[in-house]
Amino acid sequence: MINSIEISPIKMSNEQKQDIMKSILKEESMINITLKPIEQEIFLTEDPQVALIKLKCFQELINKERLAYAEHLAEVFEMIGDDAYRNLGFILQQFVNDSYSIQLSIIRQLPVLVEQIKKRQSGYLELKDHVLPFMNIFLEHQDFDIKKEVLTQLLKIAPFLIESDKVDTILAHLIEMAHDEKNNQNRILAAETFGKTASLFSIKYCESYICGELLSLGIDLNEFVREKAIEQLPYISVSLSQKCIELKIVPFFLKSCDDRLLQIKLACIKSISGISKYAGAQIKTQKLIPKYLEFLSDQNKEVRKTAYEYLGEFISTIKFTENDQQQLDILLAYYQNQLDKNINMMGVDLVYKCAYYFPGVLQAIGRNRWQLIESLYGFLLKYPSDKVKISLAYSFHEVAKILGPDLSKQYLINVLETLAQDKLQEVRNGIIVNLSKFISIFPIEERDYVIDLLLSFQKDQHKWRTRQIICTSIFPITRCFNNDTIFFHIAPILFKFCSDTVAKVRQKAAKNVVHLIETFEEEGEQRTAILEQIKAFSHSIRFNQRQSYCWMCYKLFYRADFENLFFERLLQLCQDPVQCVRLSALIVIDKFIQKEGFSKERKYLKYFLISFIDDQCKEIQIILAKYNFVIEKTKKKTLSCRSRNSGSSNGHLEDIPEFDEKIDQIRKSSGKV
């Protein structure tokens, strides 16, 4: 008799069980990945007739193909041409009952499609009869995202519409949504859109309809609707008369400020500057400033913090007079409170807003009160935040413009040098981009000290992006100096950048050399020296300098004297042993041919292109592909002529007489025999 052995289950911890389950799930997922079918790529047809058939039978296509055509509908219409526009209404109807993603894609394509439609003779009729009814269908859509996207795209199309059609298509639907008491989202969307649409309508519609509807939403029972309505008040104020602002907008706004809800108060603080910008001086001093002072002393910390954030923006909207001295002193006292640790510790955003609106505050109070906020400016410069420093760097020239040359020289020169040498790239860029605007506030005889700053930038080989920005800004900088300063100081800097170790710097610098020639148009020693320096690049033993010459020609070939001064050497560089030099030269030749064409005097360019047939560079072959027909025709003609003249041809195309004659002609006209 065999004894049965009972096998007891193995006891496992919870962690062991989880590990086993994870391994099982991992194996199953790997199986799913292995068995997943490979999706084929969808390509749009290039045959106009086939594309038209596909659009007409859109619902018979697979989902991925429908999505592809929806995302590129404007391109497909342009390819098909008139036949597509004649079937516009029928084609658009194919999308009405399609999936969410396809509907969203087609809605986003409509502004591009309308751009094409408006160029047609019957464009407005097609827009009114087909596109607008199609969009109206989606304005009634149940999906909120679809409805919001339609309104967004409709606002892009609206400038093409006459006012009556804008009223019927946009305003009527917005009013209907604003009165939808059952759907809060519709009322929120209406409130958001009223402000954006105000500028599209005449003052009659803005004051009679949009203003009234928005103020009605501002007393809605739903706090989110009220918040959105208050946020739109600055946008609608742009299109209203000052009388309407004083009688309707300001009283409603002041009443909203007394709302107990925090989000409504915050919305009022964010909107008060926009309203103040368009309100009269008396309204500002008697109603808006007292209300803002209430926000600054509010019991709620979040209200006080937001009020401090937007204080600079609010002050910048007010033009203070001698009668407003008391209010100005109070506002400036609060503005300077940001030096207090208890205030600036509220967050970087507060200090950033202070820095961002600093030029506006200075503009409002005037240069005579500069010393009242000078200490605050020093605090902002030392504040340990990249965001704050970048803002100060990009607005530095605005502060200098308000202060004028004397105060700027006294207070801002050291600041300029500090910011220009900052370790952060964006800070240095902010100074360099607007350097010409800063220089221009000084008399021309006091501007030369900036040259030392430019020289210091070129010495640091690690800051190549700074050098690239200088090359981009060099043209406006040169306009700030006389010709002698440009020749002895700016030109050497620019030519040095043309030999920079970084290709992007060389390219930017080389393409700006044209401005030097434009500066020295009159014949003389300086012009001769500039031209000789440019030509010296083309004969350099360093390939990157020869390439810089090609990049110089990229801008120079538009000049009338290009062929006489620079073209001969450019043609020679097309045979350079270094591939990147040949390519850069051919790119310029390509642009030159597109501009001048193959005229009788330039027939030699056809033979010139043939010499590149066997070049191994792919980019060069892509350029030549545009001229395949010309090359083949010229090649046959050349071989035929040689066959008649010599009775045989070895297939080589060197020493083409017409090409050599042109080279000699250029050489003689430039004085080189």
Side-chain angles (χ1 to χ4, degrees):
M1 187 176 178
I2 300 172
N3 294 326
S4 60
I5 301 172
E6 293 184 2
I7 301 173
S8 59
I10 299 171
K11 292 182 179 180
M12 291 185 293
S13 64
N14 289 332
E15 292 180 357
Q16 289 174 322
K17 290 178 181 178
Q18 287 177 0
D19 290 340
I20 291 172
M21 287 302 297
K22 284 180 182 178
S23 63
I24 293 170
L25 290 171
K26 187 177 180 181
E27 289 175 5
E28 288 180 349
S29 65
M30 289 301 295
I31 292 169
N32 289 335
I33 291 170
T34 306
L35 297 177
K36 187 178 179 181
I38 299 172
E39 295 183 1
Q40 293 183 349
E41 292 185 15
I42 299 294
F43 296 98
L44 301 179
T45 180
E46 295 182 2
D47 188 327
Q49 293 303 318
V50 175
L52 182 61
I53 293 169
K54 284 180 179 287
L55 290 179
K56 285 183 174 181
C57 307
F58 189 75
Q59 292 303 320
E60 297 177 14
L61 306 178
I62 61 172
N63 183 68
K64 197 171 180 181
E65 193 171 12
R66 293 205 310 279
L67 184 60
Y69 275 91
E71 289 175 345
H72 300 88
L73 186 69
E75 297 173 35
V76 175
F77 261 73
E78 192 171 13
M79 178 190 69
I80 296 172
D82 290 340
D83 288 341
Y85 295 106
R86 280 194 286 269
N87 293 277
L88 179 61
F90 179 78
I91 291 170
L92 289 177
Q93 286 299 317
Q94 304 291 311
F95 300 95
V96 171
N97 298 315
D98 218 309
S99 64
Y100 170 83
S101 59
I102 290 175
Q103 288 177 345
L104 212 56
S105 298
I106 197 65
I107 290 166
R108 288 170 181 163
Q109 280 283 295
L110 289 177
V112 187
L113 187 61
V114 169
E115 282 282 352
Q116 295 168 194
I117 291 174
K118 71 175 186 176
K119 297 174 185 176
R120 294 170 52 78
Q121 190 173 359
S122 58
Y124 194 83
L125 197 62
E126 292 170 348
L127 174 62
K128 186 177 178 180
D129 291 347
H130 303 302
V131 179
L132 294 185
F134 176 72
M135 298 187 86
N136 285 338
I137 293 171
F138 287 102
L139 284 173
E140 305 290 343
H141 205 282
Q142 297 300 316
D143 189 284
F144 178 75
D145 292 332
I146 291 283
K147 194 178 293 186
K148 187 174 182 179
E149 189 64 39
V150 172
L151 280 172
T152 302
Q153 304 306 327
L154 193 53
L155 293 182
K156 295 178 183 178
I157 295 171
F160 307 140
L161 305 176
I162 60 175
E163 190 160 63
S164 59
D165 289 331
K166 284 189 279 189
V167 170
D168 294 340
T169 307
I170 302 173
L171 192 55
H173 277 94
L174 287 179
I175 292 173
E176 186 180 340
M177 291 166 65
H179 288 267
D180 187 354
E181 296 180 1
K182 296 180 181 179
N183 192 326
N184 292 338
Q185 282 189 328
N186 274 347
R187 299 201 303 281
I188 290 172
L189 185 56
E192 283 181 349
T193 314
F194 272 131
K196 298 173 184 176
T197 57
S199 60
L200 299 172
F201 294 94
S202 64
I203 192 169
K204 177 183 74 173
Y205 284 102
C206 286
E207 293 187 351
S208 302
Y209 296 98
I210 297 176
C211 180
E213 292 295 337
L214 191 63
L215 296 185
S216 297
L217 292 171
I219 56 173
D220 196 272
L221 295 175
N222 185 289
E223 64 271 23
F224 297 104
V225 177
R226 297 203 303 276
E227 180 187 7
K228 291 297 179 185
I230 292 166
E231 287 177 354
Q232 296 303 313
L233 291 177
Y235 302 104
I236 193 176
S237 298
V238 182
S239 305
L240 301 177
S241 64
Q242 202 167 82
K243 184 179 179 181
C244 183
I245 293 172
E246 292 176 4
L247 296 178
K248 294 182 179 180
I249 299 295
V250 173
F252 165 78
F253 174 76
L254 294 173
K255 188 176 180 181
S256 300
C257 291
D258 296 329
D259 199 304
R260 293 183 179 181
L261 283 174
L262 175 62
Q263 68 191 82
I264 302 299
K265 277 194 174 183
L266 297 182
C268 288
I269 295 171
K270 294 173 183 177
S271 301
I272 191 170
S273 300
I275 296 170
S276 174
K277 192 183 295 184
Y278 303 103
Q282 194 174 2
I283 293 292
K284 293 178 185 179
T285 54
Q286 293 181 3
K287 295 182 178 179
L288 297 182
I289 292 178
K291 181 55 67 177
Y292 208 97
L293 292 174
E294 287 180 24
F295 289 138
L296 288 166
S297 56
D298 196 272
Q299 294 180 352
N300 188 295
K301 182 180 177 181
E302 192 65 29
V303 173
R304 293 198 308 275
K305 178 188 172 184
T306 308
Y308 270 107
E309 278 186 26
Y310 289 87
L311 178 58
E313 182 183 7
F314 179 68
I315 294 174
S316 67
T317 64
I318 303 168
K319 192 175 182 180
F320 292 98
T321 63
E322 293 180 1
N323 299 329
D324 308 323
Q325 186 64 42
Q326 186 178 357
Q327 288 182 322
L328 173 60
D329 291 340
I330 296 171
L331 285 171
L332 280 182
Y334 276 109
Y335 191 65
Q336 288 175 298
N337 273 356
Q338 292 174 90
L339 290 169
D340 190 337
K341 287 186 178 179
N342 293 327
I343 301 298
N344 63 58
M345 288 298 287
M346 287 183 180
V348 175
D349 284 343
L350 189 150
V351 184
Y352 168 71
K353 287 283 180 70
C354 178
Y356 185 83
Y357 290 108
F358 188 90
V361 173
L362 182 59
Q363 179 74 46
I365 67 175
R367 73 178 72 173
N368 296 331
R369 298 187 180 92
W370 157 251
Q371 291 184 344
L372 296 176
I373 57 174
E374 180 199 349
S375 56
L376 178 59
Y377 194 62
F379 162 76
L380 293 172
L381 288 166
K382 295 176 183 177
Y383 192 79
S385 166
D386 294 343
K387 192 177 179 182
V388 172
K389 278 188 179 181
I390 292 168
S391 177
L392 292 172
Y394 276 93
S395 64
F396 179 79
H397 66 287
E398 295 289 350
V399 175
K401 186 178 177 182
I402 297 165
L403 290 180
D406 295 333
L407 289 174
S408 295
K409 194 171 183 179
Q410 184 179 352
Y411 292 102
L412 297 184
I413 296 299
N414 291 335
V415 176
L416 170 68
E417 293 173 355
T418 303
L419 291 174
Q421 300 298 332
D422 194 89
K423 63 179 181 180
L424 197 66
Q425 178 68 40
E426 288 84 351
V427 174
R428 299 196 301 274
N429 290 354
I431 291 295
I432 296 166
V433 165
N434 297 301
L435 190 58
S436 61
K437 296 175 184 176
F438 175 76
I439 299 169
S440 63
I441 69 169
F442 295 98
I444 195 163
E445 62 273 7
E446 296 180 13
R447 297 174 181 177
D448 288 353
Y449 71 90
V450 180
I451 300 298
D452 296 332
L453 192 64
L454 294 174
L455 289 170
S456 67
F457 284 130
Q458 72 170 6
K459 290 176 184 176
D460 193 341
Q461 294 300 310
H462 298 291
K463 298 175 182 176
W464 68 267
R465 286 188 177 85
T466 302
R467 301 197 299 278
Q468 186 183 15
I469 293 291
I470 292 175
C471 295
T472 305
S473 310
I474 201 75
F475 175 56
I477 290 174
T478 56
R479 297 170 68 181
C480 298
F481 297 100
N482 58 38
N483 282 10
D484 286 341
T485 304
I486 294 170
F487 181 76
F488 290 110
H489 299 289
I490 304 292
I493 292 173
L494 187 59
F495 281 128
K496 185 168 184 179
F497 286 152
C498 289
S499 302
D500 199 89
T501 54
V502 179
K504 289 184 178 180
V505 177
R506 294 199 304 273
Q507 190 171 17
K508 283 286 181 185
K511 289 183 178 181
N512 277 287
V513 166
V514 65
H515 300 308
L516 287 180
I517 298 180
E518 289 170 352
T519 303
F520 298 97
E521 286 286 4
E522 295 182 6
E523 292 294 337
E525 290 183 6
Q526 291 180 341
R527 176 179 169 81
T528 303
I530 294 289
L531 292 176
E532 287 177 355
Q533 184 63 39
I534 293 172
K535 292 174 182 177
F537 273 83
S538 71
H539 294 283
S540 172
I541 59 172
R542 293 171 54 187
F543 81 90
N544 56 6
Q545 290 185 332
R546 299 197 302 275
Q547 187 181 34
S548 290
Y549 177 81
C550 299
W551 285 332
M552 292 176 194
C553 291
Y554 191 86
K555 293 290 185 180
L556 290 169
F557 84 84
Y558 290 101
R559 292 177 56 84
D561 56 6
F562 172 69
E563 286 191 82
N564 291 332
L565 295 175
F566 310 107
F567 199 39
E568 176 192 358
R569 184 57 187 151
L570 182 68
L571 288 172
Q572 292 171 356
L573 289 178
C574 288
Q575 308 299 328
D576 197 273
V578 180
Q579 180 176 291
C580 66
V581 178
R582 294 199 306 277
L583 175 61
S584 300
L586 187 60
I587 288 172
V588 181
I589 299 293
D590 176 37
K591 294 288 181 184
F592 182 78
I593 292 172
Q594 289 179 34
K595 177 176 176 281
E596 301 291 344
F598 296 104
S599 61
K600 190 175 181 180
E601 297 80 14
R602 298 182 182 87
K603 207 189 299 183
Y604 64 93
L605 290 173
K606 297 179 182 180
Y607 301 99
F608 170 77
L609 291 174
I610 296 174
S611 63
F612 285 95
I613 289 176
D614 297 326
D615 200 294
Q616 299 300 312
C617 177
K618 290 182 180 179
E619 289 82 358
I620 287 176
Q621 294 303 321
I622 290 171
I623 295 173
L624 289 183
K626 295 188 288 185
Y627 304 103
N628 275 342
F629 178 75
V630 174
I631 290 171
E632 289 300 320
K633 191 174 179 182
T634 308
K635 194 175 176 182
K636 288 178 182 177
K637 185 178 178 182
T638 307
L639 292 173
S640 175
C641 291
R642 288 187 173 178
S643 179
R644 287 197 302 269
N645 294 335
S646 62
S648 63
S649 174
N650 57 10
H652 293 288
L653 297 174
E654 292 87 348
D655 304 324
I656 299 171
E658 191 173 1
F659 182 76
D660 294 337
E661 287 171 11
K662 185 61 184 178
I663 293 293
D664 291 338
Q665 183 184 339
I666 294 173
R667 189 176 286 115
K668 287 176 183 177
S669 63
S670 60
K672 293 182 179 181
V673 181

